[in-house]
């Protein structure tokens, strides 16, 4: 079940190609009414039966906050769960930080959510940064892991690969820390926690800000005043999706990036010093002298033709999952040799890592698109 975050009347059902369901638009009536749900004392949640917790997560829609590795799917009710990873880190570019997402969350609320996950019958791991907010530190019933390093160190799929990679047909479930807090709030109060903080960032917005609103809020009410001709991305700037002002915030979205739609092109730019430009390959003087504390205007833009996949050791520098050989892996995906691709780590690589490979690839290959193609083929044939 995916219930509406607020009570109201269905005003519109939006469908896309082949009548796929894209959105159900609800006009709130202000009553905030729903069927009565039981509320539990904090001390009792850890002793609940697994069936009671699963039933509560299902009727509230919060079971959908859980994802599996591999494949990033909502777990089935009878899934063989090897372990559960609670991701308390956000290292993605301009992502809403954990301390903002957990603003107002009490240790009791987060602990209630962790206790609920513990009833699912698998060990629970909690990742956090060394300077994590106090609400994440010292939680009971979990194994804590301190994460350091640049992105993609904070990506939950990468953390699963480093902490407890899935074995055989078993699944590792991951969930974000603010979503665990929502589970705890639902069990403690018996009400759906509809409130969420969103970050609005990027050069395309005139007012970068944090906004507290409800899950599924209209995008136009969240992003505020934008520059002309911007491209709006919901979620990670690496793996998010383009949205319009008439769309709505998805249940897993915490950040909106407003990027300039136009990219200035420099004629024969590769022959120029380009002192104000960033290069992952140190092709400009900025890379030779060091970027230091400079801020760069990084805009989306690809010029020149797409080339063959050339092994220049650029891709290995931006992935954290061990034992991955990117060039052979994606050559096998492009050739639709799915058995070879799985053997080379197709199910281990995260979408964020593939997108970072796209960012630094001198051949301009869309590795995240190739990864999605390979995973789709794997699911069709299995």
């Amino acid at each position: 079940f995916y219930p509406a975050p607020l009570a109201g009347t269905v005003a519109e059902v939006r469908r896309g190609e082949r009548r796929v369901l894209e959105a159900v638009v609800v006009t709130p009536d202000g009553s905030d009414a729903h069927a009565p749900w039981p509320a539990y004392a904090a001390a009792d949640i850890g002793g609940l039966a697994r069936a009671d917790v699963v039933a509560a997560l299902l009727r509230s829609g919060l079971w959908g906050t859980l994802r599996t590795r591999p494949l990033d799917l909502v777990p089935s009710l009878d899934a063989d769960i090897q372990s559960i990873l609670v991701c308390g880190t956000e290292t993605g570019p301009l992502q809403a930080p954990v301390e903002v997402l957990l603003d107002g969350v009490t240790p009791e609320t987060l602990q209630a959510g962790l206790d609920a996950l513990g009833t699912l019958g698998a060990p629970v791991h909690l990742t956090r940064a060394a300077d994590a907010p106090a609400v994440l530190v010292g939680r009971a019933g979990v194994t804590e892991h301190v994460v350091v390093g640049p992105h993609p160190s904070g990506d939950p799929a990468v953390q699963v690969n480093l902490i407890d990679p899935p074995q055989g047909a078993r699944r590792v479930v991951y969930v974000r820390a603010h979503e665990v807090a929502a589970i705890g709030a639902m069990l403690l109060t018996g009400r759906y926690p509809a409130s969420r903080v969103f970050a609005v960032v990027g050069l395309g917005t005139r007012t970068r800000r944090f906004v507290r609103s409800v899950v599924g809020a209209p995008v136009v009410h969240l992003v505020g005043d934008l520059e002309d001709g911007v491209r709006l991305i919901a979620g990670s700037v690496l793996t998010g999706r383009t949205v319009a002002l008439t769309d709505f915030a998805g249940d897993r979205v915490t950040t909106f990036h407003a990027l300039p739609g136009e990219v200035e092109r420099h004629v024969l730019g590769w022959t120029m010093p380009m002192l104000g430009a960033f290069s992952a390959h140190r092709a400009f003087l900025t890379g030779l002298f060091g970027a230091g504390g400079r801020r760069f205007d990084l805009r989306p833009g690809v010029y020149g033709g797409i080339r063959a996949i050339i092994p220049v050791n650029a891709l290995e520098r931006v992935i954290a999952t061990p034992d991955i050989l990117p060039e052979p892996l994606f050559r096998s995906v492009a050739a639709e040799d799915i058995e070879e691709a799985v053997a080379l780590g197709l199910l281990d690589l995260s979408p964020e890592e593939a997108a970072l490979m796209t960012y630094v690839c001198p051949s301009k290959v869309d590795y995240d698109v190739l990864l999605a193609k390979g995973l789709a083929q794997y699911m069709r044939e299995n």
Side-chain angles (χ1 to χ4, degrees):
F1 298 97
Y2 290 89
L6 298 176
T9 304
V10 175
E12 181 185 357
V13 177
R14 296 185 181 179
R15 294 188 179 275
E17 295 182 2
R18 299 193 178 186
R19 294 186 57 77
V20 64
L21 182 63
E22 291 186 340
V24 178
V25 184
V26 176
T27 302
D29 58 17
S31 66
D32 196 23
H34 60 72
W37 297 345
Y40 302 95
D44 298 335
I45 292 177
L48 293 176
R50 182 184 190 276
D52 293 334
V53 173
V54 170
L57 295 178
L58 286 176
R59 65 172 170 258
S60 64
L62 293 176
W63 182 266
T65 62
L66 308 180
R67 289 293 189 274
T68 64
R69 290 297 299 168
L71 302 179
D72 297 304
L73 302 175
V74 176
S76 60
L77 299 182
D78 58 351
D80 184 4
I81 300 178
Q82 175 178 310
S83 62
I84 301 172
L85 184 136
V86 177
C87 180
T89 55
E90 293 286 353
T91 58
L94 297 182
Q95 286 293 293
V98 173
E99 57 267 24
V100 172
L101 296 175
L102 293 177
D103 180 48
V105 174
T106 64
E108 180 186 58
T109 301
L110 183 61
Q111 187 64 58
L114 294 172
D115 291 342
L117 294 178
T119 66
L120 300 182
V124 180
H125 300 270
L126 172 63
T127 62
R128 62 175 179 85
D131 57 348
V135 70
L136 287 172
V137 180
R139 300 277 63 84
V142 301
T143 302
E144 287 191 9
H145 304 268
V146 177
V147 176
V148 297
H151 199 59
S153 66
D155 182 46
V158 171
Q159 294 173 1
V160 167
N161 291 334
L162 297 176
I163 293 173
D164 188 22
Q167 304 294 323
R170 308 191 74 188
R171 294 290 182 261
V172 174
V173 171
Y174 71 87
V175 58
R176 300 279 185 178
H178 68 274
E179 295 168 334
V180 176
I183 292 173
M186 182 270 296
L187 292 172
L188 290 173
T189 64
R191 304 182 67 81
Y192 180 82
S195 175
R196 176 175 295 175
V197 177
F198 299 90
V200 182
V201 297
L203 291 173
T205 177
R206 294 190 175 97
T207 307
R208 302 169 196 173
R209 58 181 181 170
F210 297 115
V211 183
R212 182 175 290 278
S213 187
V214 297
V215 177
V219 171
V220 67
H221 293 173
L222 299 174
V223 298
D225 195 13
L226 301 178
E227 302 285 351
D228 295 330
V230 302
R231 184 156 65 99
L232 199 59
I233 297 177
S236 167
V237 72
L238 296 170
T239 57
R241 60 185 179 91
T242 301
V243 295
L245 293 177
T246 55
D247 292 332
F248 300 86
D251 64 333
R252 298 182 67 83
V253 172
T254 60
T255 305
F256 290 92
H257 295 260
L259 301 180
E262 294 295 328
V263 182
E264 180 183 0
R265 183 169 186 177
H266 302 277
V267 178
L268 298 179
W270 58 274
T271 65
M272 303 298 177
M274 302 295 285
L275 291 175
F278 174 81
S279 172
H281 305 284
R282 296 189 177 183
F284 306 137
L285 286 179
T286 306
L288 296 177
F289 298 133
R294 299 186 188 182
R295 298 171 65 89
F296 294 94
D297 180 356
L298 301 180
R299 302 190 181 193
V302 176
Y303 295 112
I306 298 177
R307 305 169 181 86
I309 301 176
I310 304 173
V312 294
N313 295 325
L315 308 182
E316 291 85 351
R317 293 188 290 109
V318 297
I319 61 177
T321 297
D323 303 325
I324 295 291
L325 300 175
E327 287 89 359
L329 167 60
F330 284 99
R331 289 179 189 273
S332 61
V333 172
E336 298 186 358
D337 186 350
I338 198 63
E339 292 185 2
E340 181 73 9
V342 171
L344 290 171
L346 173 69
L347 302 182
D348 299 325
L349 198 68
S350 80
E352 287 285 308
E353 290 178 298
L356 284 170
M357 290 164 52
T358 299
Y359 177 72
V360 302
C361 178
S363 301
K364 307 168 188 177
V365 178
D366 286 329
Y367 292 101
D368 49 337
V369 176
L370 272 177
L371 178 64
K373 174 186 173 183
L375 293 175
Q377 181 184 355
Y378 173 83
M379 288 188 283
R380 284 196 310 269
E381 299 183 7
N382 288 273

